[in-house]
Amino acid sequence: MTVQVQMVRFALVGAVNTGTYFGLYLALLTWLPYVAAHVLAFLLSMVGSFFLTSYFTYRTRPTWRKFLLFPLTNAANFVVTTCGVYLLVDVLHLSSRYSPLIAQASAIPITFVVSRMIMLRPDPAARMQEREPEPVRSAG
């Protein structure tokens, strides 16, 4: 699969993830402050994003290692969107309902590069199995 196909698939997963995040954010915003709603919606949607990214974007098998590393793909995204939401709402006085969508768009390129590095990196355990020679069996 080419990088261009992966980028298109990544964008589709991102659209689904953003919709999931935004729906959760709006639902949580009814009883939580906007920053808490943002953080919780972000974490919940990240789990779904991991499986979509694994199966659909890169066509790789999800592993615990990748699952545990996957939040790194969103670390930069989280910082950019959280700072962006704060700046848009508290500094620029834009609506807390729509500011996350604006902030999210600015983090997409960083997230793609980091996710590609993590999701396509060979698993060390698989590499060890490839290196170990098969035992020699006697014919007798």
Side-chain angles (χ1 to χ4, degrees):
M1 180 180 338
T2 67
V3 174
Q4 292 82 2
V5 170
Q6 290 173 348
M7 282 197 271
V8 169
R9 289 173 180 253
F10 184 81
L12 291 171
V13 169
V16 169
N17 189 51
T18 299
T20 301
Y21 158 79
F22 193 56
L24 289 168
Y25 174 77
L26 291 177
L28 294 167
L29 191 59
T30 60
W31 78 84
L32 292 175
Y34 76 88
V35 173
H38 164 70
V39 171
L40 191 53
F42 189 92
L43 292 173
L44 292 172
S45 65
M46 188 169 44
V47 173
S49 179
F50 168 74
F51 288 104
L52 285 172
T53 299
S54 184
Y55 287 121
F56 181 70
T57 303
Y58 300 116
R59 307 236 178 206
T60 62
R61 184 175 58 85
T63 63
W64 280 108
R65 181 180 181 278
K66 289 177 184 176
F67 182 76
L68 294 174
L69 289 173
F70 190 73
L72 296 176
T73 69
N74 289 297
N77 184 306
F78 182 76
V79 170
V80 170
T81 58
T82 302
C83 292
V85 167
Y86 171 78
L87 288 171
L88 292 168
V89 173
D90 283 349
V91 176
L92 299 176
H93 306 290
L94 297 178
S95 170
S96 63
R97 294 179 63 88
Y98 303 108
S99 293
L101 294 176
I102 299 166
Q104 189 73 30
S106 62
I108 292 170
I110 295 166
T111 306
F112 176 74
V113 170
V114 177
S115 76
R116 194 166 192 281
M117 288 177 5
I118 287 175
M119 299 303 284
L120 295 180
R121 184 178 194 175
D123 191 5
R127 280 190 286 183
M128 288 300 292
Q129 289 175 347
E130 290 173 3
R131 289 184 201 161
E132 291 180 17
E134 289 292 319
V136 177
R137 298 175 193 214
S138 63

